[in-house]
Amino acid sequence: MEIDRITLTTEKQYINRDFQSRIEQFLLEGRSNKRVLIVDAPTGAGKTHTFKRLDSSEGVTLLVLPNNYLIEEKYEEFLSSGLIRSSYLKKLSREDITHNIEEEGLGEDNNPRAILTAIDYILSNSKLIITNPSIVFLILYNHYWEKYHVKGSHLSNLITKGLVNIIFDEIHIYNKDQRNRIIALNSLLYENVKFGYTSATIPSDLVNTLFQVFGKERVEYINVTTTEPGESSSLLRGPIKLDIFNSEIFQLNDELLKELKYGNWIIILNKIITINKFYKFLLEHDFPNSDILLVSGYHSKSRETLNLFKEGKARIMIASNIIEQGINPPKNYTNFIIEPGYYNYSLVQRIGRVGRGIEEESHVFIPIPDKVI
């Protein structure tokens, strides 16, 4: 029997954040027996929050976040928290390299020596460096030196200057080949640098591989689940009503289109081309252009767009899978249309953005184009 629609509801969820002290202990302990950290905790549990406390660290930590949007968000959040001094905190993306070249008068942006000098300046003047996978791989592979045939090594310099932790947040976004390369680097730097892997959807094969390669006694595995409300727990997310129904994203029924005319909405879609088409689809149905903001790495990489998103400056925000990589929607957005994605972790991560830290019920619509519900 075919079913065209399923409606589900979830209750409020609560979390005990005591696990944060275990993360902090691992990062600050120095040369302890535990050399690898795995944190498997729900979205919104506060995994990344713990890294604000690295002010007292004796060494340098690389915090690797999946996209530049998230780098900007966490950099501003860490600065405003007051838990880590601004002089200890740096961010490192291609945009920051260019900015540093201009600010320090190092020459042209495409000058090899200027790029090396800018990166070295950023790496040498902080305890917590927030960067992205592309940059950290190029540093670990010694790319910036070898590309320009200059003797030297940023990785060696980092270890000399006290690199003690490399944390890969949202590890689920990496494919298996990338994860294998990270584990190989983990093995090479094992005695000098502790590696951490965190996500709400930790790949089980990654956990098993880390146990096999390093041994369970050397791995700090922190598995966090929701709990009952009480004095030691806090609200993780409010109740959610889920409507799963058979429909193409461009064949929404009149009732849902009418609901879209009111309130604040976030729409998470699978492809850039779908974002463009859905934007035109709304315009064709008389939605004002001023109501809509497109959020993806393709449409804009600027801090301005990120701030518009965080401040809720548009009534309807159409976003790519960049949202499932750790970007938190404003709390006053309680209506969502979410394409489920191509992998089960995509749906978990996308729904994990909903209702975080609010008492009010959120409503999520999930269109599935074929009748397999």
Side-chain angles (χ1 to χ4, degrees), residues 260-261 279 282-283 285-293 315-316:
L260 263 171
K261 294 281 186 179
Y279 169 64
L282 292 182
L283 295 181
H285 285 79
D286 301 322
F287 285 77
N289 181 55
S290 58
D291 277 5
I292 306 168
L293 178 69
R315 193 177 65 78
I316 299 173

Side-chain angles (χ1 to χ4, degrees), residues 239-307:
I240 300 173
K241 180 181 179 182
L242 289 165
D243 268 321
I244 308 168
F245 57 96
N246 174 229
S247 174
E248 296 281 352
I249 190 67
F250 303 110
Q251 295 175 347
L252 303 180
N253 60 43
D254 292 340
E255 181 183 347
L256 183 49
L257 279 174
K258 190 180 293 184
E259 287 193 50
L260 263 171
K261 294 281 186 179
Y262 306 96
N264 295 329
W265 290 77
I266 291 178
I267 300 165
I268 306 176
L269 304 177
N270 294 333
K271 299 178 181 178
I272 299 298
I273 191 171
T274 312
I275 291 175
N276 292 331
K277 286 182 178 179
F278 196 78
Y279 169 64
K280 293 176 182 177
F281 171 78
L282 292 182
L283 295 181
E284 289 168 1
H285 285 79
D286 301 322
F287 285 77
N289 181 55
S290 58
D291 277 5
I292 306 168
L293 178 69
L294 306 183
V295 184
S296 76
Y298 172 80
H299 289 98
S300 178
K301 299 178 182 179
S302 70
R303 182 184 297 182
E304 180 183 357
T305 300
L306 177 62
N307 287 338

Side-chain angles (χ1 to χ4, degrees), residues 22-73:
R22 290 178 62 189
I23 298 176
E24 185 177 359
Q25 183 179 9
F26 173 87
L27 295 174
L28 297 178
E29 249 184 4
R31 298 198 61 80
S32 66
N33 184 54
K34 304 281 188 180
R35 305 299 299 168
V36 178
L37 172 71
I38 304 172
V39 183
D40 186 354
T43 59
K47 301 181 293 295
T48 314
H49 174 82
T50 313
F51 306 131
K52 297 177 186 176
R53 303 172 186 171
L54 286 168
D55 205 349
S56 57
S57 171
E58 294 183 358
V60 177
T61 295
L62 287 177
L63 174 57
V64 188
L65 302 179
N67 58 67
N68 289 339
Y69 275 105
L70 199 55
I71 290 175
E72 294 290 346
E73 181 183 83

Side-chain angles (χ1 to χ4, degrees), residues 144 206 224 228:
Y144 288 108
L206 173 65
V224 184
E228 296 296 321

Side-chain angles (χ1 to χ4, degrees), residues 129-147:
I129 302 161
I130 307 175
T131 187
N132 61 41
S134 299
I135 296 291
V136 81
F137 278 134
L138 292 174
I139 289 171
L140 295 180
Y141 293 162
N142 212 26
H143 167 85
Y144 288 108
W145 291 97
E146 292 183 357
K147 182 178 180 181

Side-chain angles (χ1 to χ4, degrees), residues 198-253:
T198 76
S199 175
T201 48
I202 289 278
S204 58
D205 64 308
L206 173 65
V207 176
N208 293 333
T209 301
L210 291 171
F211 282 155
Q212 290 173 7
V213 172
F214 301 107
K216 288 187 177 182
E217 70 282 357
R218 307 303 299 274
V219 178
E220 180 73 16
Y221 179 51
I222 302 174
N223 180 245
V224 184
T225 57
T226 55
T227 186
E228 296 296 321
E231 290 184 5
S232 61
S233 62
S234 56
L235 181 68
L236 177 64
R237 75 183 82 256
I240 300 173
K241 180 181 179 182
L242 289 165
D243 268 321
I244 308 168
F245 57 96
N246 174 229
S247 174
E248 296 281 352
I249 190 67
F250 303 110
Q251 295 175 347
L252 303 180
N253 60 43

Side-chain angles (χ1 to χ4, degrees), residues 314-342:
R315 193 177 65 78
I316 299 173
M317 295 194 280
I318 310 175
S320 70
N321 66 344
I322 199 169
I323 300 301
E324 76 188 54
Q325 296 177 9
I327 302 295
N328 299 324
K331 290 185 178 181
N332 60 322
Y333 284 72
T334 56
N335 299 299
F336 293 77
I337 298 175
I338 297 177
E339 281 195 301
Y342 303 109

